[in-house]
Amino acid sequence: MIIGIDLGTTNSLAAYFTPEGPRIIPNRLGKRLTPSVVSMDEEEQIYVGDTAVQRNLLYPGSTASVFKRDMGSQKQFKLLHKTFTAEELSSFVLRALKEDAEHYLGEEVTEAVVSVPAYFNDARRRATKRAGELAGLKVERIISEPTAAAISYGLYQNGGNSRFLVFDLGGGTFDVSILEHFDTVLEVRAVAGDNFLGGEDFTTVLENLFFEKYPQFNRLTLDEKTMHHIHKQAELCKLGFSKSRKSSMDCKIGEECFSLSVDLTKYEDACEELLDKIRQPVKRSLLDAHIRLSDIDKVVLVGGATKSPVIRRFVSRLFKVIPDTNINPDEAVALGAAVQGAMKERRESIKEVILTDVCPFTLGTEVVREWENGRFENGVFCPIIDRNTVIPASRTERLYTVRDDQSKIRINVLQGESRFAANNLSLGELVIDVPCRKAGEESVDVTYTYDINSILEVEVTVVSTGKKEKQVFCGRDVDMTQEEIRERLDTLSYLKIHPRDREENKYLLLLGERIYEESLGEKRRYIESALHKYEKALNSYDHALIDAAKKEFKEFLEEIEDFE
């Protein structure tokens, strides 16, 4: 079976396809969302999800989160005495989802369709695929999140031709995609976005308001544990706007409690800079698709951050329509990825649809440009496949020698939008020999072919001799060979992933400890007594006693805090 996975910045989840349609797979704690958080204890035991979240609040320095923003880079995240890349941390999340799926479905899961932001470049997409391999999954396809969301909404089943815009604001990334449906084809017309804009930034706005009210506190001097506590309270305050026009955050610093009350209007005003950042990709996608706002038939909201009333009001004003929210924005992408998996399995119960995507960034090479005054400029970017070109696509550009007796032509394969080559991402280079003649008398045809799986093939042909050089590029600075992947997989396998059957006990204990630390006076003693009773039951190794104590302790915590 091929499962669908939404590997998110804040939360991740998996889904599978049934004859009745796609369904979310609950995790080991019975929840539909698994926080994209990884923690490690002193015994090198790895925790993923809610348990890692609780450890983060209690033991800062042992946990990593929001690492999706650094996929495809060499940034290192330190967990105690070990360091990991973003793709290695993502592999732990994927492995946990894989194990949960196997437990729930009762069969081995080895294949998956994994979603990525539409605006992820090649390096980030390939890092996501490697994370899947490190988790023991064959990644059947990397699918763009807006495309997956469109599938889950069943937009491809609508009769007639239609255009729709997918507004995808997750925890750490923002995508806007314009898609068009005609006959059995679902075509992405344009994508734009920001890989460093998401719900976390709207939480930071509330943190800033808190520090403005209490200038005696400084982010640089407060310890990491206190900062995590303030961030959590800001997140709860943000969620509070879904129920009321006023929300508040209460932060315990030292032995004192400091409160901030904010109304929705003030919060919207404080978010104006972020909302301006959202407008730019929307405008860019419309220009690239050569359509107007009035040409859009439907606007679909995707991503947990779109549940915020600030975002929904903003979208309604911007597009002058009520957006479609029939499917839980947190789950739309995973459900669509599961449908895509079923398509690949050619399930008879699902309508086949042809999916086309676009190249999210311009692909080109570095050239020397000659201007009318005879002046030459080095390091200029020459686009070959423009951004938002429907893929698969193949384009050819003819380039000429610039010096007398030039014997080689170097093709620096670039991805980006800057007119200066140095400002774009270099995927690698290809060098070909040419006959030595006068400048401009020798030339090569450079052909870029880019497919649906983000594979770029570059073919260079010497026009005068027919000699060819061909190479597939995949990001030279971050790519790993299959042997390197196997070696890293062996290294990571020594880390102990926490067993499923003990996960909930550990999570409840950490949750209880965290609530205890945030409480004062009589409430603390009340929680301490309940923790002691639960620990005593766990130490008995009596399964019946543990199950009864777990139920009682869980109900107790639900009374103390609505932790669901």
Side-chain angles (χ1 to χ4, degrees):
M1 174 178 287
I2 301 176
I3 63 171
I5 293 178
D6 176 6
L7 182 63
T9 306
T10 306
N11 293 296
S12 297
L13 61 162
Y16 72 113
F17 193 80
T18 73
E20 292 75 37
R23 296 288 184 269
I24 298 297
I25 298 171
N27 65 19
R28 58 199 66 190
L29 297 177
K31 299 184 178 184
R32 297 165 78 85
L33 301 179
T34 297
S36 302
V37 183
V38 176
S39 184
M40 186 178 74
D41 65 18
E42 292 76 7
E43 297 177 353
E44 296 190 357
Q45 200 117 51
I46 294 293
Y47 301 89
V48 173
D50 287 288
T51 310
V53 170
Q54 297 303 323
R55 279 190 55 80
N56 188 34
L57 295 168
L58 291 166
Y59 311 110
S62 65
T63 306
S65 61
V66 199
F67 38 80
K68 178 178 173 178
R69 284 179 165 178
D70 295 290
M71 286 292 277
S73 75
Q74 291 302 298
K75 180 178 176 179
Q76 298 286 315
F77 294 81
K78 191 169 185 180
L79 272 59
L80 298 179
H81 54 281
K82 286 188 173 289
T83 57
F84 303 93
T85 62
E87 68 187 62
E88 289 168 346
L89 293 171
S90 296
S91 76
F92 293 137
V93 176
L94 290 170
R95 194 190 308 184
L97 294 173
K98 174 181 183 292
E99 291 173 356
D100 290 341
E102 290 173 336
H103 177 80
Y104 183 78
L105 300 172
E107 61 180 90
E108 186 180 11
V109 173
T110 58
E111 299 174 85
V113 172
V114 181
S115 68
V116 296
Y119 215 54
F120 258 24
N121 61 19
D122 280 5
R124 295 171 183 270
R125 290 171 185 254
R126 291 183 181 280
T128 303
K129 188 170 184 178
R130 285 195 300 271
E133 293 172 346
L134 289 171
L137 286 167
K138 178 184 178 184
V139 179
E140 278 292 328
R141 179 173 173 181
I142 296 291
I143 185 171
S144 292
E145 290 168 3
T147 306
I151 294 171
S152 71
Y153 269 87
L155 296 175
Y156 65 90
Q157 293 177 339
N158 293 342
N161 295 351
S162 59
R163 290 193 185 104
F164 45 94
L165 184 145
V166 178
F167 185 98
D168 184 356
L169 185 65
T173 58
F174 170 60
D175 282 325
V176 57
S177 300
I178 297 172
L179 299 95
E180 185 170 3
H181 168 252
F182 51 93
D183 295 328
T184 59
V185 177
L186 184 64
E187 179 180 296
V188 180
R189 291 285 304 277
V191 299
D194 190 331
N195 289 325
F196 294 91
L197 175 64
E200 287 290 323
D201 300 290
F202 287 84
T203 302
T204 302
V205 167
L206 289 167
E207 285 185 32
N208 293 339
L209 290 176
F210 177 83
F211 284 110
E212 285 176 16
K213 182 176 179 181
Y214 299 104
Q216 66 267 39
F217 298 121
N218 187 309
R219 295 174 187 267
L220 300 177
T221 56
L222 288 174
D223 62 78
E224 193 174 354
K225 192 171 183 178
T226 301
M227 284 302 303
H228 281 305
H229 170 64
I230 293 172
H231 183 79
K232 177 180 179 294
Q233 296 307 311
E235 179 71 22
L236 292 173
C237 181
K238 183 180 72 174
L239 297 177
F241 287 115
S242 298
K243 300 176 182 177
S244 171
R245 287 190 60 85
K246 272 197 169 184
S247 191
S248 61
M249 55 188 290
D250 301 302
C251 301
K252 180 174 172 286
I253 302 177
E255 293 301 315
E256 290 187 68
C257 188
F258 299 87
S259 299
L260 172 71
S261 181
V262 186
D263 63 52
L264 186 57
T265 302
K266 181 179 180 181
Y267 181 46
E268 280 183 318
D269 291 342
C271 292
E272 189 56 39
E273 186 177 337
L274 293 176
L275 297 176
D276 276 338
K277 291 180 71 175
I278 287 176
R279 288 186 181 94
Q280 298 310 310
V282 171
K283 182 179 179 181
R284 184 175 179 178
S285 65
L286 290 168
L287 288 172
D288 285 355
H290 305 293
I291 63 173
R292 296 166 297 182
L293 268 177
S294 58
D295 296 325
I296 300 294
D297 298 306
K298 181 183 287 190
V299 175
V300 173
L301 295 187
V302 179
T306 62
K307 291 188 286 188
S308 165
V310 171
I311 299 301
R312 294 201 172 182
R313 285 154 59 101
F314 170 75
V315 171
S316 297
R317 290 195 301 266
L318 182 64
F319 296 105
K320 296 180 176 58
V321 296
I322 302 299
D324 192 328
T325 56
N326 288 329
I327 295 179
N328 185 335
D330 281 320
E331 300 177 354
V333 171
L335 293 171
V339 175
Q340 174 63 21
M343 287 178 183
K344 290 192 72 66
E345 290 180 317
R346 299 194 176 277
R347 300 278 192 95
E348 292 182 2
S349 58
I350 189 168
K351 177 184 175 182
E352 188 66 35
V353 61
I354 299 170
L355 300 176
T356 74
D357 213 330
V358 294
C359 184
F361 291 87
T362 299
L363 294 164
T365 188
E366 181 178 358
V367 297
V368 176
R369 185 81 71 198
E370 182 179 8
W371 301 104
E372 292 180 0
N373 58 9
R375 183 175 59 85
F376 288 89
E377 183 181 8
N378 294 316
V380 177
F381 180 53
C382 172
I384 295 178
I385 296 180
D386 286 324
R387 71 169 185 269
N388 287 322
T389 297
V390 174
I391 54 177
S394 185
R395 301 285 187 275
T396 300
E397 187 79 18
R398 181 162 291 186
L399 304 178
Y400 296 84
T401 55
V402 294
R403 296 189 310 274
D404 292 342
D405 297 322
Q406 183 175 334
S407 62
K408 296 180 185 296
I409 290 181
R410 180 179 67 93
I411 305 301
N412 183 12
V413 181
L414 300 169
Q415 182 180 64
E417 307 304 330
S418 174
R419 76 180 187 90
F420 299 108
N423 295 338
N424 295 319
L425 173 68
S426 176
L427 302 179
E429 62 180 43
L430 189 154
V431 178
I432 191 167
D433 294 329
V434 294
C436 295
R437 299 175 70 180
K438 288 184 177 181
E441 291 186 0
E442 280 297 327
S443 60
V444 294
D445 282 339
V446 181
T447 301
Y448 279 24
T449 304
Y450 193 72
D451 79 355
I452 199 77
N453 291 309
S454 302
I455 295 175
L456 173 63
E457 180 186 81
V458 177
E459 182 179 87
V460 183
T461 304
V462 179
V463 176
S464 63
T465 65
K467 181 181 179 181
K468 295 179 185 287
E469 292 286 348
K470 186 187 293 186
Q471 192 170 330
V472 173
F473 290 88
C474 50
R476 63 184 179 187
D477 294 330
V478 295
D479 206 48
M480 296 169 67
T481 65
Q482 287 299 314
E483 184 179 350
E484 288 171 333
I485 289 173
R486 283 194 296 272
E487 288 177 359
R488 191 56 184 158
L489 185 58
D490 290 340
T491 301
L492 296 179
S493 68
Y494 288 106
L495 296 170
K496 296 169 278 187
I497 304 297
H498 201 269
R500 282 183 49 87
D501 56 355
R502 299 206 302 271
E503 182 83 12
E504 189 169 13
N505 293 329
K506 188 70 177 179
Y507 167 69
L508 291 174
L509 280 174
L510 289 166
L511 181 60
E513 288 176 19
R514 194 261 299 164
I515 296 173
Y516 170 85
E517 289 194 4
E518 293 177 358
S519 303
L520 295 171
E522 187 64 30
K523 186 178 178 182
R524 264 193 165 183
R525 288 187 284 274
Y526 191 37
I527 297 168
E528 183 182 26
S529 176
L531 272 167
H532 179 71
K533 184 177 179 182
Y534 186 43
E535 287 172 333
K536 187 176 179 181
L538 291 175
N539 291 333
S540 71
Y541 298 98
D542 184 325
H543 292 295
L545 182 62
I546 290 173
D547 286 343
K550 181 193 297 181
K551 182 180 179 182
E552 181 183 345
F553 188 57
K554 191 173 181 179
E555 290 174 352
F556 166 79
L557 292 175
E558 285 175 340
E559 291 177 9
I560 296 291
E561 180 185 77
D562 183 20
F563 69 99
E564 291 293 340

